[in-house]
Amino acid sequence: MNHNQQATGSRHDDDAALSEFLASLMEYTPTIPDELVEHYLGKSGFQCPDVRLIRLVAVATQKFVADVASDALQHCKARQAAVVKDKRDKQQKDKRLILTMDDLSKALREYGVNVKHQEYFADSPSTGVDSTSREE
Amino acid sequence: MSDGGGESGKVHERPKTRKNLGSEDFPRALAKIAVAQICESEGFQIFQQSALETLADVAVRYVQNMGSTANFCANFAGRTECNLFDIIQALEDLGSVQGFAGASDIEHCLASSSTVKEFARYVAQAEEVPFAYSVPKFPVVKERKLRPSFLQIGEEPPGEHIPSWLPALPDPETYIESPIVKEEVVEPQTIKTEPEKQCRTEKSFWNLQQWLFCNGLEGSQREDPRNAAMTKQIQESNPFLAPPLQFGEKEVSSIVLPDKVLNNSSTEYHVPVMENCQVDTHVSVLETFAPAIESIKNNFHMSEEKYSLNRKSTVQFKIGTGKKAAGNMIELRALNNGVKKSSSWFVGEDEKDDKKRKAEKILKDSMENSNELSHL
């Protein structure tokens, strides 16, 4: 009996927290615009007039992308540290943080996304540098 | 004809690119910008184009996957509209690869889901980076201007079976059958009245086309040049709407109508003799018949006797039928009386066989005349 009451009490708390969170979403503007999320949700068959739910999806997506990006950033930093250890003179060039396909595919693999996309050789300033450093 | 084909090729190509541009490129570009902004806030400074595209693609798939999962949950519960719990369920499904607190408990309450708590934490701590641009509502649906109904115009529908709330019919000139050129001799009065009517028809056609253009109906919009060509063709097939010729002399105008007859005959059947004379442009036809025109002009200066003799010989030689002979007699008279009258005769002669024979005869006559001229 007592346990049951506790459960209902916590449930009320959860409900309150959930509705509070949803209400807070009205003030929070995610980086991903609502229109974009709405468009793609609509394409997948999702139907809901509630803006808060669309915001929730936007926040979820933003968090997902941010998580992937921070993982990729860690990969990037780790690689740069290794490169810098090998070659001091390239330090100037590699100082900036670049989102590369390598790091991204490593980060995405942890999230269950298998990226086997060949990077475009022309679009990366560091592609040539990487290959030479790998050769050595 | 050949440029018409080129036009149609262009027509086929344009909608394709437009469709691609409208449906997918814009949201993709938006997703790329948003993803780039998120990565920038995480600390990245430079992006590989391919990496950015991949990440944007993954993000879009994430949204779509979540949408379809939530929709599935709603449908599974017998609803069409999704609610919060469908989305939480979808979030948990998508987050199950990563794992979350309480995932092992199958029967946990969705309201106390740890994924939502994580999002709440994220929202509380993450800095708010609004999207760089203000995004308009898309896809843009162009508003169509409907044709006013009979009721709005205040017009009575033409039949009792047509309710008044239906859109009004276009101008009757656009859909009624236009009269074919009469086979009898056309009186000068009718010639006068005809162009006005034709002008009105064209005007209403033009109005209709403009309306279609305003509503952005595909096809009619692009076929503008072709429509123009069609109206031109109509004009050309109608002798009354033919543009004035640029020949200086008055006599030449009488020759214009045979040209018309020739044109008509050549479009309707194959006249082997005429085949090489059939040219699209007006000017070249005239050029083809320039010697004939010249010879006829010269004939006027010749004595009447000689002329009639020549004529008679051609009649006996070339055409055996009495009808043809009669036609020739008329022509002769017309030529003798003056050029203006002959024009009305040519219009009247609209029978197909006669046209064909007429065409051949005119050509042969002109050839013979020119031969004689050289003999003289």
Side-chain angles (χ1 to χ4, degrees):
Chain A
M1 198 67 172
N2 193 17
H3 170 77
N4 212 357
Q5 243 177 11
Q6 226 175 13
T8 50
S10 70
R11 192 164 295 174
H12 279 305
D13 286 348
D14 287 336
D15 283 349
L18 193 61
S19 50
E20 198 182 311
F21 168 59
L22 280 180
S24 75
L25 280 178
M26 288 309 288
E27 276 105 60
Y28 183 84
T29 45
T31 310
I32 300 172
D34 290 343
E35 287 84 1
L36 185 71
V37 176
E38 209 175 332
H39 174 250
Y40 280 115
L41 282 181
K43 274 185 107 179
S44 62
F46 180 91
Q47 267 186 331
C48 186
D50 197 345
V51 186
R52 292 178 299 170
L53 299 190
I54 286 161
R55 284 270 169 93
L56 179 61
V57 176
V59 165
T61 313
Q62 185 180 334
K63 184 174 179 295
F64 174 76
V65 172
D67 285 350
V68 172
S70 70
D71 278 10
L73 190 71
Q74 296 313 313
H75 281 292
C76 182
K77 277 179 178 166
R79 207 179 34 146
Q80 269 185 15
V83 168
V84 165
K85 215 182 275 172
D86 287 347
K87 288 213 134 199
R88 290 278 166 193
D89 53 328
K90 294 239 169 138
Q91 198 177 356
Q92 294 289 341
K93 214 174 197 176
D94 291 339
K95 209 174 177 181
R96 291 185 297 177
L97 297 165
I98 307 170
L99 176 68
T100 57
M101 208 59 194
D102 268 355
D103 302 331
L104 184 68
S105 59
K106 271 182 209 158
L108 279 174
R109 198 165 298 151
E110 290 167 32
Y111 289 84
V113 183
N114 237 333
V115 181
K116 293 247 162 108
H117 194 277
Q118 187 73 42
E119 81 172 65
Y120 305 130
F121 290 109
D123 68 2
S124 156
S126 66
T127 312
V129 179
D130 271 358
S131 62
T132 50
S133 62
R134 257 180 231 140
E135 276 166 20
E136 285 163 6
Chain B
M1 268 296 141
S2 61
D3 52 28
E7 200 65 45
S8 68
K10 221 186 241 173
V11 167
H12 279 299
E13 242 182 77
R14 218 184 287 165
K16 212 173 158 189
T17 52
R18 181 181 284 184
K19 193 183 158 200
N20 280 350
L21 214 86
S23 62
E24 261 317 295
D25 283 3
F26 183 60
R28 287 277 154 178
L30 285 183
K32 250 167 84 175
I33 295 169
V35 164
Q37 276 188 308
I38 295 168
C39 289
E40 203 174 21
S41 69
E42 284 296 315
F44 277 111
Q45 290 158 324
I46 303 175
F47 306 97
Q48 264 185 5
Q49 193 74 14
S50 51
L52 205 58
E53 267 169 18
T54 309
L55 194 52
D57 188 46
V58 169
V60 164
R61 274 161 198 251
Y62 186 85
V63 172
Q64 283 189 322
N65 209 337
M66 186 147 19
S68 56
T69 312
N71 193 40
F72 169 77
C73 292
N75 289 350
F76 194 64
R79 284 174 279 118
T80 54
E81 275 197 1
C82 302
N83 63 16
L84 176 64
F85 298 104
D86 298 322
I87 290 181
I88 292 172
Q89 185 68 54
L91 286 172
E92 288 194 348
D93 276 9
L94 278 174
S96 62
V97 180
Q98 288 284 290
F100 52 91
S104 59
D105 183 12
I106 303 169
E107 293 180 344
H108 67 277
C109 179
L110 282 178
S112 60
S113 168
S114 62
T115 44
V116 179
K117 280 174 187 157
E118 245 175 76
F119 290 134
R121 216 177 301 132
Y122 174 79
V123 167
Q125 67 176 206
E127 56 172 325
E128 205 172 316
V129 185
F131 194 66
Y133 303 97
S134 64
V135 183
K137 193 88 182 150
F138 69 94
V140 180
V141 180
K142 202 173 166 190
E143 210 172 299
R144 286 200 169 169
K145 200 176 137 199
L146 291 174
R147 248 189 115 71
S149 64
F150 285 114
L151 208 65
Q152 282 166 330
I153 290 184
E155 196 180 288
E156 278 288 307
E160 280 192 10
H161 60 285
I162 305 176
S164 58
W165 46 264
L166 281 177
L169 291 171
D171 296 326
E173 283 86 7
T174 55
Y175 58 87
I176 54 161
E177 201 178 345
S178 54
I180 305 164
V181 182
K182 284 165 197 163
E183 294 186 8
E184 310 147 18
V185 175
V186 180
E187 299 298 323
Q189 301 101 285
T190 45
I191 294 175
K192 270 181 191 168
T193 54
E194 201 77 358
E196 291 168 18
K197 199 178 176 186
Q198 213 63 26
C199 274
R200 218 174 54 205
T201 311
E202 263 172 45
K203 217 173 188 178
S204 46
F205 262 126
W206 176 242
N207 284 342
L208 189 73
Q209 204 180 322
Q210 265 185 329
W211 176 73
L212 289 174
F213 182 80
C214 286
N215 279 340
L217 285 184
E218 310 233 329
S220 68
Q221 182 179 340
R222 301 225 178 71
E223 278 166 18
D224 238 353
R226 208 185 294 171
N227 273 352
M230 228 169 69
T231 29
K232 204 179 167 191
Q233 213 175 21
I234 290 165
Q235 277 184 357
E236 273 175 6
S237 63
N238 190 340
F240 303 112
L241 283 175
L245 293 171
Q246 278 142 18
F247 271 77
E249 286 113 331
K250 266 199 170 179
E251 286 91 343
V252 182
S253 61
S254 69
I255 306 300
V256 175
L257 286 160
D259 281 349
K260 289 293 141 209
V261 176
L262 283 176
N263 267 347
N264 286 349
S265 69
S266 56
T267 47
E268 275 154 24
Y269 352 73
H270 282 285
V271 185
V273 190
M274 287 294 108
E275 199 84 295
N276 43 11
C277 293
Q278 182 201 343
V279 199
D280 272 6
T281 52
H282 210 83
V283 185
S284 50
V285 172
L286 273 175
E287 275 169 8
T288 323
F289 285 87
I293 295 161
E294 284 300 313
S295 62
I296 287 172
K297 265 196 282 174
N298 287 333
N299 269 340
F300 275 107
H301 299 303
M302 283 194 273
S303 64
E304 267 194 12
E305 278 182 29
K306 204 163 197 179
Y307 187 75
S308 56
L309 268 175
N310 288 340
R311 280 292 167 179
K312 268 180 184 167
S313 67
T314 39
V315 171
Q316 281 161 3
F317 252 105
K318 307 295 173 198
I319 299 115
T321 58
K323 200 178 181 183
K324 203 66 226 181
N328 253 320
M329 292 302 284
I330 296 166
E331 191 191 21
L332 198 61
R333 210 191 311 142
L335 281 169
N336 285 340
N337 286 350
V339 192
K340 299 253 164 152
K341 275 200 175 173
S342 72
S343 71
S344 62
W345 177 81
F346 275 119
V347 179
E349 178 97 11
D350 219 6
E351 213 174 313
K352 288 176 180 179
D353 285 330
D354 278 2
K355 259 194 242 161
K356 183 175 161 188
R357 258 183 257 130
K358 189 87 236 153
E360 282 178 54
K361 195 192 58 113
I362 286 164
L363 198 71
K364 275 172 191 168
D365 278 1
S366 66
M367 297 270 276
E368 277 174 19
N369 281 341
S370 59
N371 281 344
E372 277 166 16
L373 273 176
S374 64
H375 285 314
L376 286 169

